[in-house]
Each structure stands twice: as structure tokens, then as C-alpha cells.
Amino acid sequence: MGKLNLQKNLLLLILLLAFLLRIIKVGSFPPLYTDEASFGYNAFSLLKTGRDEYGTRLPVILRSFGDYKPALSSYLAIPFVAVFGLNELAIRLPSVILGTLTVLLIYFLTREIFKKSVISYKLSVISSFLLAISPWHIHLSRMSMLVGIELFFMTAGIYFFIKGVKEKAGYLFLSSLCFALSLYVYYGTRLTLALILISLFVVFRKRLLQKKKAIFLSGLLALVILIPLFLTFLKNPAILTARVKWVSLFRYPEVRGRIWDAIGFDAGMPPLFVRFLHNKPVYYAKDILRRFLQHFSPSFLLFQGDQASPFHIWGMGVSYLVFYPFLLLGFVEFVRHFKREWWLILFWLLIAPLPASLTAYTPAANRSFNLVVPLQIITALGLVKFFGKVKKGLQLNKILLLFTFLFLLNFVYFLRQYGYITLRKIPREYRFGQKELVRFITAKADDYDQVIASEKATGYIFFLFYERYSPEKYWQEAEIDTTLNDFGFEHVLGFNKYRFKRNFDWIEEEKREKVLYVAYDEEIIGDEPVGYKLLKMIYYPNGQPGIKVIAL
Amino acid sequence: MKKEKVFLLLIFLLAFFLRVFRLGENPYNFQKNEVFIGSSAWSILKTGKNLNAKTLPLIFQYFEREKERHLPLYFYLSVPAVALFGLNEFSVRLPSALFGALTVLLVYFLTKRLFKKSISLTASLLLAISPWHLHLCRQASPAIISLFFILLGVLLFLKKKRVWAALVFGLSLLSFSHHWLFVLFLTSFLFFWKDWQSKKEKKAWLISCFGLFVLALLLFKLAAQSNALIFSSVFYDEFLSDLSTLEKTMTVLENYFDNLSFKFLFFSGDTYINHGVGEMGVLFLSSLPLVLIGLYQIFVIRGKEKYLLLSWLLLSFIQASFSRFSPDSEKTLAAVVPWMILTAIGGLTFFQGLAKRKKGLLRFTIYAFVFAIFAYDLLSYFHIYWVHYHKRTQSEPESAYKTLLEKVKEKKAKYEKIYITNAIDGAAVYSFFYLKYDPKIFLQEKGDRKQFGKFFFDPFSPQKEEKKTLVVTTPLVGGPPGFEKKEEIKVLNQSTIFVLWEN
């Protein structure tokens, strides 16, 4: 009895730690990112009017910036926006809470998969501890960037599936509910989930045959839940591929260029032979494999991480250096003691980076986020096996002490890089200063006829968000240019007094009185061009001038 | 037993052929350090002195330049080659190729001592065709020589010929300074790894290794040598001076782990043109599954041999991690041996597992499939090396020296003075090499990198009044006043490297 209590308390402590690491200062750090502002404002708009930013009634896909994001994240934020108002904390709370719950879920999931093993309990606790402190999971739980929430539903779906297969069939309904919902959260899930389902069916094929009825009914339930999504796709099939098309590896000339270069060396050789060696299937296959493996290389895991904003933590990979040897050891132990049910972890591990590998932006921390769960489980396996081999006593204590010390060092390093260094090195990638900017301009706007802003420096969504702008008014005033840019995004030209210029050019700009100009410091040369007054300069944490506001 | 020897002989012949075939022509570009080695060997052969007029020196320097110092072994090894085959690209590269082929044999003998026979044959075959080893064998690379002696040293150590082992390790120290830490760590590792029969034996090994190190360090004026090593390191590099010590430390760690990245190993290799073909990794992509199986096996199998293999691998990148340019396939060349052995272990495990579990047609299909993929990879590599890389090196600027100096050689009697730009580093030494300049005369004239005989190198200012003068400049600057443009020297990609002017 006492032991059980200890176990419970330990798990509670881990959960508390996870929650604290995710909630502390989440209202102000990291700065609100564009996508988050969009989810937040849509939640606000849905709450106030039942329609999204474009006036669509109860959408299941948000048009957002033209990239058509699944809408569940916004719906989940509605109650929090209702209670706390439209602010960073409110819109991030679903991510924070579900992120913390994922830490609990990984405990139960590991427990379930390793049920027969004597190390099941240790492994589960360590896995959940590792997830609680994982830089990757902390970072993405502290932002509302879809994948944190998606991971919760995916993990829950898998957990309940296993429960359903092994125990009461009722769990299968919960599982199909979670899986169906995960499709409403993130685009990449369409591929990941399909493959995960196939793996689940392969791994548990024998037991599933005994539960045909429950499987059929829960499948039916999922289909019913998915009806609105299907209808949206039917109405506008372009949405289905809206994002995929823009990030796809095949859209970019890189690989074709490589083939072209290679063929260039082979002038005068038999064309069939040249084709045989330098062709698209081989080169693309190699490139996809290369991108896939990037997610397992030390550079991504330990040193660089994802270099794209806002996922880049300066000087940090997605996991801790001190755990790396245990990850490798974990792989060895994983293979050595392989059990049939572990296939699931292996499949999950291999499926997770697949969607990212098909894009031109790799390694990606968001598109491959599913990887975070199997990686922690395998690292935990390495840790448990390693410390299991050390004889109990003085030696073990010494090693544990050293290891704890190294871990704390690494943890402090992460906190320093994440909380202090990153915003000093790459404030722009995190859209630093938007809140201050909007507050300033809103206060001044009455004195001016127009506000002309460079879209690089700010965005319409930040004005909607921080001004809590009335959705009804916005629907009437918004001017939208629907031609997509190079990254597949639409452009809001302006609303009310605000004008947003995609290619802001200070020299070309027709300078008028009673107009506020907002741009990055270097976009307007000189602090105060002749006749102009610098009204506001937003400085970055490293003291560099960032965004400036000037007027005649 | 006999069959095995035949196989080994065949593997050696394959290795030798792949390393020697058209050695002078591919890589087409003859690097500055190769030219320098050739010229020095030529000079030693003819006069017993190097180009700086030092008799049988232990340190070789580019003329009077202070920073770059070269260890002597490769220079002396190329003397007999130059004596036999004349002063040309082939003979300068021959020691590399020859010792590289012999390394293939040593890998066989070493692996046989540690693991099974079948593994050792496979490992040596893999090394024979390894893009990593092959690439460096086909240029004058002291790393190849050093690796040969390291392997020989370990082998002698295992055969209990300790004194010889220590001496041979000493020879490796004499060839390549970027292996110094590795040799130090490896000999220390061997000390702890071995079950010593008696304390005396243990002591003898310790003393002989330690003695050699001290000797090596004293001999090579540690101060001067290590300065060059230290200043190319992350901590002293002026390009990285903005980084904090913490960031530098992280860079070193990152450099270290980059040696284990899929990118370096299987996709792009060392991207420096002289160290790799640039279109593939240092290992075959098709061997990736085998490498993974091998790594797994090495953890699982019993016996302490595996620790030697693992430590060898992990120790071999330490010194190179401190360098700014990382990963560097030449500095970490020693890693090629454990990688090959691991691949061999993985391959045999795979095929034995297959033989046990699958039967008949299925097994045959899998065999055929695996071999087809490997053959395709091999074919791609040889194609890239012999077609793409051959052309690519012909476009390297230093390739123009050969064409230029053959022209100059033809017509040098016509001119009284010949000025050659030093824009492509090493004009004097290239001229010395390709003109087969007589070292005796060179030393009499007290030639250096600015002038010997009627050849003058940057900086120069030829005068209009000097008649019968040939001036070679880069296309970026015009000819001297009063001179007429005669012709341009181009490399394969049609960019002009040199322009010839005369009056």
C-alpha cells in the first residue's frame, strides 16, 4: 500500500514539474507568434459571433493566412478566452494543459506496452519524467502551434486502442474519438494517422479479429465525427492539398538541379547509361532518406535542432546531450530484448519523421513532433538498463551523483539558451515586440489618418489580436489579396486605418502628412529621415534597434 | 586455408589496381603540398638537401614560410619513388597508393586476430573499395602512411613484439601530426586493455611508448609544431573570436558528433574537393543497414575485442574536433578501419541470419536484391570518381599550372626573364616541379619562392626596357605597360586562370 502511494506521489510530482515548466510565464514568453495570434483571434471571433475571421460559420478548417489550418485548436481555446479574455495565456492554455496530460499519458502508455516486463514501472516513470523536461516538448507545449495538441490526441488514441484491444472493447470508442479529433488539429496527421492505424492493425491483428463488432462500430463513430471535415473537403477539394502543395519537396528545384549537374558531367556517354545512374526516382529516394535520417542525427537532436522560426532554440538541439549515450544504448537494448508489442514503438518512431521528410524544410521539429514520445521511451530504456547493470552500493551512488550533476548542468544550459539567449540572438524569428508596437500605435492612431506598415515588421493579425478588434467590423473592412506568395500565404492589404505592405519600399513610398509609418529599423534608412520624427523605437533584448514608427 | 590466401591475394591485387591505375591523372589537380613533397624529394635525391638547403631535415617547410611545417616521413618515402619513376605526379603519389594497398592486408591480419576469418576477409575487401580510403590513397596523403603504421603497430603489439610496436607507432608520429592524440590515446588504451602477464612487461611498454612520445615531441620542436596545431583550433581561430568559451566548447562537441552523422557518413562526406567526390558520403549508402547491424552486434557480442574496436572509433575524431573545419575525412582517416570492420560484421550477421531463416527462392531473391543495390552503388561511385570528379578537378585553378609550365618549358630558351604571378598559391614550387629544375643549380643560386634562375615570382614589376621577357598574370590584372597579350591558359570549365604577355 505504501509503495503504491509512493508511486502515485512520484507521478504527481512529475506532473507538477511538467505543468510548472509549461505554465510559468507562458503569458509573456515566448512572444506571441503569428500563427498563435491567428488561432487566438479566431477563437475570439467564434466566441463572439460563431463565425471565424472570414465570416465562415463554425468552420472546421480555418482559412487563416491561406494555408487552411484545422480548427480544433481554436475551439479548444474558446472557454479560456471567455474566462481570461483574449490574451497569450488564454490561447496557450489548451496546449499547456494537454501537453502536461501527455506526460501522464506516456506513463500509462509505457506501462501498457511493457506490462509483462519487470522494469515496466521504472521505465514508465522515467519516460514521463523525460517527457516532462524534454526541451522539444516544453517548447511546443508553451506555444499554441497545433502539434502539441495533436500529440495529445494521437498518444491518447494509441493508448486507448491498446486498452481496447486488450481489455474492454469500450476503450476502442474513446480511441476512435481521439484519432478522429487529431485530424481536426493538424494537417500532417492525415499521413501519420493512416500509417499509425495500419501499424496498430498489424501489431494487434490476432486480438482484433476477436473484436470485430467493436472495431466496426468505433470505426463508424470516427466516420460520423469526421463528416464535417469530409464535407469541407468535398466543398473545396483544394483545401486538402493547400498546405502540402506548398511545402512539398517535389515543388523545389534542388534535387532536379542536382540531377542536372550530374548529367552535365556526362556529355558524350550513352544516354541510357546516364539515365540509369542519374534519374529522379533514385535521387528523390536518396533525398527523402537523407531528410528522414536528419531527424536522428546528433546535429538535430543535440546541437542545432530545427533552424526554422519559431522552433529554433539557439545552441540547443531538441534533446539533452547527457541523455544521448542512453538513447543509443536504449536502441541496442530495444533490439536485444525485442517483444512483439514493441513493434508499435518502432513503427511510431519510423512513421513520425515521414511527413517532414517529404517536405523541403528539414529537419523539422514540428512536423516530426510525434518522434518525441518514442525517443523518450527508448532513452528511458537505456537509462533503466544501464543503471540496472551497475551493482548497488557505493559505485552506483557515485555514478548516479555524477550523472545527476551532469544532467542539472545540461538542464540549466537549456533554460539559459531557451529563456535568455534565444531572444537575444534571433528576436525577429520570434516576432519580438508586437505587443508593445500595437499598444503604442493603438494609442496614437486617433491622431492620424492612416497607418502604413511593412508586413515584414508586423502583421494585421497582431492588430486584430491585441486590439480585440470587433470581428463584425473586420469582415466589412478587410481588404484581402488572395494571390498566394512564394510560401503559399495570402495577404491582407488592410482594414480600418491600417495598411500592410508586402513589399514595403521606403524610397517609393508616397510620403504624406498624418500618416504613421511602421517598419523594421533597416527598412527606413536613418533614424529620422529629413522632416520626420521618430515616434517610437522598439529595441530587442540585445539592445539592437528593431521596429520603428515614424511620421512627418 | 589455401582458398583464403588466394582470396586475400585477389583482394590485395584489386586494392593495388584501384589505387595505382592512372594515378597521375585522376585526381587531375596536383595540390600544392603534393608538388612540395615531389620537389623536396627530388632535391634530396639529387643533393641530399631540401629546398631550404638543409641537409636531411626532420621538418619540411615551404621555403621560408614559418607557419606550415610538415613531418618528414612522406618526403623520404617518396625519394625512392622519384628515383625510380622520375619526377612526376605518379611517383609523388605512389607511397600513398602502395601503403594504402598494404593497409588492406594489415586490416585482414588485424581483424583475423580479433574476430573471425570471414569477417577479416570481408573487412579487407571493403577497405579495398572504400571511397574514403581510396580517395586519400590516390593523392600524396601522410594520413595514409600514418594509418598503415598505426595498424602495423597494433598488430605487432598483439603479436607481443612490443618494442617493434613502439617503434612503428613512432613512425606513425613521424608522418602525420593530426594523428598524434589518437596514437597517444590508442597506446594508452592498449596499456589498460591488455591483460599483462607480469609487471615488468607492463612497465616496459609504458616506458617505451612514453619515451617515444617525448622523443617525438623534442625532435619536432613541440613549440613550433603545436603552435600551428593550436592556432587552427576552434579556441584560437580569429574567425570564431566572437564566440564565448561555452559556445566554442559546444562547437567542439558538435564537431565531434558530426563525425557520427548520417550526413557525413552516407550523404555528403567531406565537402572539401581534395578530400571527397562531393556527391556521396565516405561510406556507401547501401552499407547503412549493415553498419547499423554491425553496431548492434558489437554491443551484443562477448569478449573484450569489441572494446578495442569501439575505442578506436571514438578516439579517432577527438583531435580533429578541435579544428574549425570539421568533419575532415583526412584528419579522421583512422576511423575508416573500425567502420569497415563494423560493416563486415553487420554484413556477415545479415547473410548468416538470412541463410538460417529463409530458404529457396525467397533467399535467392533477397540475395539478388541486396547485391543489385550494392553493385549499383559501387558503379555510381566509380562513375562519379572517374567521370565527374576527374572533370571537376580539371577545373581547379592549380590544374592550369601544368599547361602553363609545359608551354613555358618549351619556350624558356627564348626569354631572358620569366615573371609568374603567385595568385594561385605556390608558383615557385610548381615551376620548380614542372620544369624539373636542377636542384644543384637551385641551391647554388640560393633560389627561394621569389626567384630562381630567370624565373621571378610575385611581387614583381617588369620594365618595358627589359627585352625578351615573358610575364604571366591572372586575368584580373592587365598586362604591364608595353607588353602584348600572347595567350590565355584556361581550365576545363573555360575560366581563364593565367594570361601570358611578352614584349
Side-chain angles (χ1 to χ4, degrees):
Chain A
M1 198 63 208
K3 200 177 175 191
L4 201 67
N5 260 334
L6 183 75
Q7 291 184 4
K8 256 190 197 161
N9 289 339
L10 195 55
L11 192 61
L12 275 177
L13 271 178
I14 291 173
L15 274 182
L16 184 67
L17 174 72
F19 184 65
L20 288 177
L21 284 172
R22 281 154 185 74
I23 192 83
I24 288 174
K25 285 200 166 183
V26 78
S28 57
F29 184 91
L32 189 72
Y33 195 67
T34 326
D35 296 41
E36 294 183 286
S38 172
F39 296 126
Y41 186 71
N42 279 296
F44 175 73
S45 176
L46 283 166
L47 175 70
K48 296 279 167 191
T49 65
R51 291 165 188 269
D52 75 354
E53 149 195 5
Y54 288 86
T56 315
R57 263 203 72 185
L58 297 176
V60 295
I61 300 271
L62 297 172
R63 187 164 145 197
S64 192
F65 308 114
D67 57 343
Y68 295 96
K69 302 173 178 79
L72 190 60
S73 295
S74 280
Y75 285 94
L76 290 177
I78 291 176
F80 299 100
V81 172
V83 175
F84 297 102
L86 182 57
N87 58 35
E88 290 93 337
L89 176 70
I91 61 161
R92 281 171 176 171
L93 268 174
S95 205
V96 168
I97 292 169
L98 295 180
T100 310
L101 288 178
T102 313
V103 173
L104 184 65
L105 269 179
I106 193 179
Y107 171 83
F108 288 119
L109 181 71
T110 318
R111 210 72 233 250
E112 200 56 48
I113 295 177
F114 293 85
K115 209 168 194 171
K116 284 176 194 151
S117 168
V118 282
I119 53 169
S120 157
Y121 168 69
K122 277 186 198 160
L123 198 63
S124 321
V125 171
I126 294 177
S127 301
S128 82
F129 174 71
L130 289 177
L131 192 67
I133 54 152
S134 153
W136 198 356
H137 197 256
I138 290 175
H139 185 42
L140 284 169
S141 302
R142 288 177 63 94
M143 295 182 91
S144 179
M145 296 297 286
L146 307 175
V147 290
I149 296 169
E150 187 255 4
L151 185 70
F152 169 81
F153 285 114
M154 185 65 92
T155 316
I158 292 174
Y159 172 66
F160 290 128
F161 188 93
I162 300 176
K163 278 289 238 190
V165 169
K166 287 185 176 172
E167 294 166 29
K168 276 182 237 150
Y171 283 115
L172 284 173
F173 292 94
L174 264 177
S175 166
S176 73
L177 175 74
C178 289
F179 281 143
L181 287 179
S182 74
L183 285 171
Y184 281 100
V185 185
Y186 186 58
Y187 0 63
T189 318
R190 286 165 222 162
L191 179 59
T192 330
L193 182 61
L195 294 172
I196 287 280
L197 280 178
I198 293 172
S199 334
L200 284 171
F201 277 79
V202 170
V203 176
F204 297 103
R205 58 187 180 277
K206 278 184 193 146
R207 295 199 195 197
L208 276 173
L209 287 176
Q210 300 158 2
K211 297 190 175 173
K212 277 183 210 145
K213 200 173 150 197
I215 289 285
F216 177 74
L217 286 176
S218 57
L220 208 62
L221 171 73
L223 284 181
V224 172
I225 301 171
L226 289 174
I227 286 175
L229 195 64
F230 288 137
L231 286 179
T232 315
F233 287 148
L234 277 178
K235 231 187 281 169
N236 187 358
I239 293 175
L240 197 59
T241 56
R243 191 69 188 142
V244 179
K245 205 170 72 192
W246 287 96
V247 293
S248 157
L249 168 66
F250 302 98
R251 216 180 83 81
Y252 289 82
E254 201 190 322
V255 174
R256 270 166 280 150
R258 229 178 282 155
I259 298 175
W260 191 248
D261 285 347
I263 291 175
F265 283 114
D266 296 348
M269 300 188 83
L272 216 61
F273 178 70
V274 175
R275 256 282 143 84
F276 175 64
L277 289 179
H278 313 304
N279 54 60
K280 278 190 198 167
V282 169
Y283 274 60
Y284 271 111
K286 274 191 194 174
D287 201 52
I288 291 169
L289 182 63
R290 178 179 72 86
R291 292 172 185 279
F292 180 85
L293 291 173
Q294 277 180 340
H295 296 94
F296 296 99
S297 69
S299 162
F300 173 68
L301 293 174
L302 311 176
F303 299 103
Q304 305 275 332
D306 184 347
Q307 299 277 312
S309 61
F311 308 110
H312 184 190
I313 303 176
W314 190 267
M316 202 44 218
V318 293
S319 45
Y320 295 103
L321 191 57
V322 283
F323 291 133
Y324 188 64
F326 300 98
L327 175 67
L328 298 184
L329 185 68
F331 274 117
V332 173
E333 296 294 339
F334 186 78
V335 177
R336 196 200 305 228
H337 304 283
F338 200 79
K339 303 267 171 3
R340 227 171 52 82
E341 282 179 15
W342 297 10
W343 273 114
L344 181 64
I345 296 173
L346 189 65
F347 281 137
W348 202 354
L349 187 83
L350 296 177
I351 290 167
L354 261 185
S357 309
L358 298 172
T359 73
Y361 307 101
T362 51
N366 59 335
R367 293 189 194 93
S368 64
F369 192 50
N370 264 286
L371 200 53
V372 75
V373 172
L375 279 187
Q376 308 314 320
I377 297 178
I378 289 172
T379 310
L381 187 65
L383 280 167
V384 171
K385 287 282 176 184
F386 176 80
F387 286 106
K389 270 177 197 160
V390 184
K391 278 190 204 105
K392 277 203 175 127
L394 199 61
Q395 200 192 0
L396 179 69
N397 289 343
K398 269 186 196 161
I399 294 177
L400 262 177
L401 201 68
L402 177 72
F403 176 69
T404 313
F405 174 72
L406 286 176
F407 162 66
L408 285 177
L409 215 60
N410 211 172
F411 186 62
V412 170
Y413 178 76
F414 158 63
L415 292 181
R416 173 179 180 272
Q417 297 303 109
Y418 177 66
Y420 184 79
I421 300 292
T422 299
L423 277 191
R424 277 164 179 73
K425 294 281 186 185
I426 42 171
R428 264 182 202 179
E429 290 180 22
Y430 281 84
R431 312 307 308 253
F432 182 88
Q434 298 302 327
K435 191 172 187 171
E436 193 186 349
L437 179 76
V438 175
R439 290 270 155 82
F440 175 79
I441 289 173
T442 312
K444 285 266 173 190
D446 285 346
D447 307 338
Y448 293 86
D449 294 341
Q450 208 173 38
V451 178
I452 295 181
S454 151
E455 209 186 43
K456 274 187 209 143
T458 178
Y460 79 98
I461 197 71
F462 292 111
F463 286 84
L464 292 180
F465 185 95
Y466 285 116
E467 289 191 0
R468 303 192 175 91
Y469 204 79
S470 150
E472 282 104 340
K473 249 176 102 189
Y474 175 71
W475 298 334
Q476 285 162 9
E477 295 168 354
E479 291 171 48
I480 298 163
D481 176 5
T482 51
T483 47
L484 302 176
N485 75 358
D486 290 346
F487 302 100
F489 295 117
E490 306 179 335
H491 178 44
V492 171
L493 297 169
F495 67 93
N496 196 354
K497 286 180 182 176
Y498 302 117
R499 288 289 162 277
F500 300 91
K501 300 215 163 172
R502 195 179 268 181
N503 302 307
F504 179 84
D505 186 344
W506 175 243
I507 315 262
E508 302 268 299
E509 199 58 50
E510 178 194 334
K511 284 100 178 169
R512 285 174 289 146
E513 278 186 38
K514 304 215 89 182
V515 173
L516 275 178
Y517 295 94
V518 183
Y520 273 147
D521 179 50
E522 74 277 4
E523 285 184 294
I524 298 175
I525 298 151
D527 269 356
E528 295 193 327
V530 184
Y532 286 86
K533 262 199 308 209
L534 179 68
L535 298 180
K536 172 88 181 165
M537 175 72 91
I538 289 176
Y539 288 94
Y540 291 138
N542 55 10
Q544 298 285 328
I547 308 167
K548 68 183 165 201
V549 182
I550 66 172
L552 265 178
Chain B
M1 190 63 203
K2 208 156 188 212
K3 215 163 90 187
E4 202 187 319
K5 275 185 183 157
V6 175
F7 274 131
L8 186 61
L9 183 69
L10 286 176
I11 291 171
F12 176 73
L13 288 177
L14 173 72
F16 186 71
F17 171 74
L18 288 175
R19 279 154 183 77
V20 172
F21 178 64
R22 294 176 68 190
L23 183 61
E25 291 151 57
N26 193 16
Y28 188 84
N29 65 330
F30 203 50
Q31 299 165 41
K32 191 181 138 203
N33 62 332
E34 297 184 295
V35 176
F36 177 58
I37 289 170
S39 308
S40 307
W42 175 246
S43 176
I44 298 244
L45 179 70
K46 298 282 170 187
T47 66
K49 292 176 179 173
N50 75 348
L51 297 177
N52 296 334
K54 299 223 169 76
T55 311
L56 297 178
L58 280 168
I59 287 283
F60 283 80
Q61 265 173 285
Y62 287 116
F63 297 120
E64 76 276 20
R65 276 168 79 181
E66 280 300 320
K67 259 199 174 170
E68 285 181 68
R69 284 150 186 270
H70 294 255
L71 296 178
L73 198 59
Y74 200 101
F75 291 77
Y76 288 110
L77 286 175
S78 57
V79 172
V82 170
L84 277 174
F85 300 100
L87 182 59
N88 55 40
E89 290 95 336
F90 177 84
S91 16
V92 177
R93 286 171 177 170
L94 190 62
S96 245
L98 197 63
F99 279 82
L102 290 172
T103 310
V104 171
L105 282 184
L106 287 186
V107 164
Y108 168 81
F109 291 117
L110 178 71
T111 318
K112 205 170 117 183
R113 285 219 146 238
L114 297 174
F115 305 101
K116 277 182 267 173
K117 252 185 248 164
S118 44
I119 293 177
S120 53
L121 267 182
T122 318
S124 63
L125 176 63
L126 286 170
L127 188 70
I129 56 169
S130 152
W132 190 348
H133 195 245
L134 204 46
H135 198 98
L136 290 167
C137 280
R138 294 184 59 91
Q139 51 184 279
S141 170
I144 294 287
I145 310 293
S146 159
L147 181 62
F148 170 84
F149 285 115
I150 291 173
L151 270 165
L152 188 61
V154 176
L155 200 62
L156 288 170
F157 180 86
L158 293 178
K159 292 196 166 182
K160 299 195 173 164
K161 300 200 167 109
R162 303 268 154 61
V163 181
W164 286 106
L167 279 173
V168 165
F169 279 126
L171 283 179
S172 135
L173 295 178
L174 282 181
S175 31
F176 194 51
S177 58
H178 295 283
H179 278 166
W180 280 8
L181 274 188
F182 175 63
V183 174
L184 179 67
F185 291 144
L186 192 69
T187 43
S188 332
F189 171 80
L190 288 174
F191 174 75
F192 290 109
W193 181 69
K194 180 87 186 88
D195 292 325
W196 295 95
Q197 305 285 324
S198 66
K199 262 196 174 167
K200 215 175 116 195
E201 221 186 11
K202 203 168 158 181
K203 234 186 230 168
W205 175 243
L206 205 61
I207 291 170
S208 47
C209 281
F210 184 72
L212 268 168
F213 252 92
V214 173
L215 206 65
L217 297 182
L218 285 179
L219 220 53
F220 302 115
K221 303 169 195 164
L222 172 73
Q225 184 62 46
S226 58
N227 266 351
L229 286 178
I230 287 172
F231 285 115
S232 71
S233 94
V234 167
F235 287 95
Y236 290 90
D237 197 294
E238 51 195 64
F239 290 98
L240 300 178
S241 56
D242 284 351
L243 300 184
S244 67
T245 311
L246 181 63
E247 282 168 319
K248 284 175 183 168
T249 313
M250 290 307 283
T251 309
V252 172
L253 282 172
E254 190 175 349
N255 285 346
Y256 183 85
F257 281 100
D258 275 345
N259 286 293
L260 294 166
S261 72
F262 294 105
K263 185 180 167 210
F264 172 69
L265 293 174
F266 299 103
F267 293 98
S268 50
D270 186 338
T271 47
Y272 174 49
I273 182 152
N274 291 324
H275 286 176
V277 290
E279 291 171 59
M280 57 183 289
V282 289
L283 308 178
F284 287 111
L285 180 56
S286 50
S287 70
L288 169 62
L290 306 185
V291 172
L292 293 180
I293 296 175
L295 276 171
Y296 170 71
Q297 279 295 318
I298 205 72
F299 274 100
V300 178
I301 54 174
R302 293 181 185 285
K304 59 176 193 163
E305 287 79 14
K306 63 179 182 184
Y307 296 112
L308 175 61
L309 200 61
L310 275 178
S311 317
W312 188 315
L313 184 68
L314 297 177
L315 294 174
S316 58
F317 338 119
I318 292 180
Q319 189 172 353
S321 306
F322 287 91
S323 157
R324 187 160 68 95
F325 303 102
S326 191
D328 181 318
S329 69
E330 191 180 28
K331 289 176 190 163
T332 61
L333 178 72
V336 76
V337 174
W339 282 128
M340 292 303 108
I341 299 177
L342 283 171
T343 317
I345 293 175
L348 285 165
T349 314
F350 174 76
F351 285 112
Q352 280 162 2
L354 196 66
K356 246 189 253 163
R357 283 188 202 125
K358 307 280 181 230
K359 286 207 175 80
L361 193 63
L362 181 65
R363 189 165 81 190
F364 178 76
T365 319
I366 298 176
Y367 273 137
F369 182 70
V370 171
F371 277 110
I373 288 183
F374 196 70
Y376 183 84
D377 215 359
L378 203 60
L379 178 69
S380 299
Y381 165 61
F382 285 123
H383 169 76
I384 288 171
Y385 187 81
W386 284 100
V387 180
H388 296 196
Y389 187 69
H390 187 50
K391 288 189 181 164
R392 203 172 277 178
T393 47
Q394 284 178 59
S395 300
E396 284 292 283
E398 70 251 30
S399 297
Y401 269 124
K402 190 174 180 167
T403 332
L404 170 77
L405 290 160
E406 269 162 13
K407 287 222 163 80
V408 170
K409 199 174 176 183
E410 260 171 49
K411 298 177 187 165
K412 68 177 176 189
K414 244 175 75 184
Y415 301 104
E416 282 177 1
K417 278 185 174 177
I418 297 171
Y419 293 94
I420 300 176
T421 172
N422 198 28
I424 312 297
D425 199 17
V429 74
Y430 274 101
S431 306
F432 182 88
F433 181 89
Y434 280 117
L435 296 166
K436 294 204 175 67
Y437 203 81
D438 189 338
K440 277 179 202 145
I441 302 177
F442 183 88
L443 291 177
Q444 271 167 22
E445 295 165 349
K446 297 203 167 136
D448 60 15
R449 66 194 264 256
K450 288 195 190 113
Q451 193 237 324
F452 58 83
K454 54 176 144 178
F455 297 92
F456 296 84
F457 308 95
D458 264 348
F460 53 63
S461 51
Q463 300 302 310
K464 212 175 176 179
E465 300 76 48
E466 300 171 358
K467 289 294 165 197
K468 288 191 185 168
T469 302
L470 177 73
V471 179
V472 181
T473 66
T474 61
L476 298 174
V477 293
F483 281 74
E484 260 173 55
K485 189 171 180 174
K486 214 182 129 212
E487 69 173 307
E488 292 187 345
I489 306 279
K490 291 182 176 177
V491 286
L492 189 71
N493 66 5
Q494 295 306 313
S495 57
T496 306
I497 305 296
F498 296 118
V499 186
L500 275 60
W501 310 78
E502 62 176 15
N503 64 354

